[in-house]
Amino acid sequence: MVKFRVEIEKNACQSFGACVELCPQFFKFSDIDNKSTIEGAKKLVKESKVVTETLELNELKCIREAAEACPFKAIHIINLETKENLI
Ligand code: SF4
């Protein structure tokens, strides 16, 4: 079973860039809306805009640090085993 789900709330993201700086192997700026994006993440689209991106993975590596550094709390992490919201 996959251990963690990472979610970017695109409306909350203000392109501040902490996640891109701290965890560039996962987070990039999107060419489309200049907001944070994760390569390979599942995109939820509403009215032709991406509203959330989710990625499930077993190891967080630098993702937790990036999520904690986001001043707009746009990145969430859920532990799928315990159902706990880590951030
Ligand atoms: S740190 Fe937060 S606001 Fe800044 S780009 Fe990343 S998700 Fe967006």
Side-chain angles (χ1 to χ4, degrees):
M1 183 184 168
V2 186
K3 287 189 190 153
F4 302 103
R5 180 184 298 137
V6 179
E7 185 178 304
I8 305 177
E9 224 183 298
K10 300 285 269 192
N11 284 340
C13 174
Q14 301 297 318
S15 309
F16 179 75
C19 59
V20 176
E21 205 169 295
L22 290 170
C23 196
Q25 62 264 57
F26 283 99
F27 298 96
K28 312 250 178 288
F29 283 124
S30 161
D31 292 338
I32 297 162
D33 57 12
N34 202 36
K35 295 188 178 203
S36 178
T37 185
I38 310 177
E39 212 177 279
K42 220 191 281 173
K43 293 173 176 37
L44 176 68
V45 180
K46 273 191 193 156
E47 290 166 8
S48 56
K49 276 190 177 169
V50 178
V51 288
T52 56
E53 292 197 16
T54 55
L55 184 71
E56 294 188 352
L57 70 183
N58 283 317
E59 266 188 80
L60 290 174
K61 298 184 180 163
C62 54
I63 293 176
R64 184 158 189 164
E65 198 186 348
E68 284 171 350
C70 176
F72 301 97
K73 305 200 182 324
I75 305 168
H76 305 284
I77 303 171
I78 298 144
N79 182 326
L80 294 172
E81 287 173 345
T82 61
K83 310 287 179 214
E84 184 191 359
N85 291 322
L86 300 179
I87 185 159

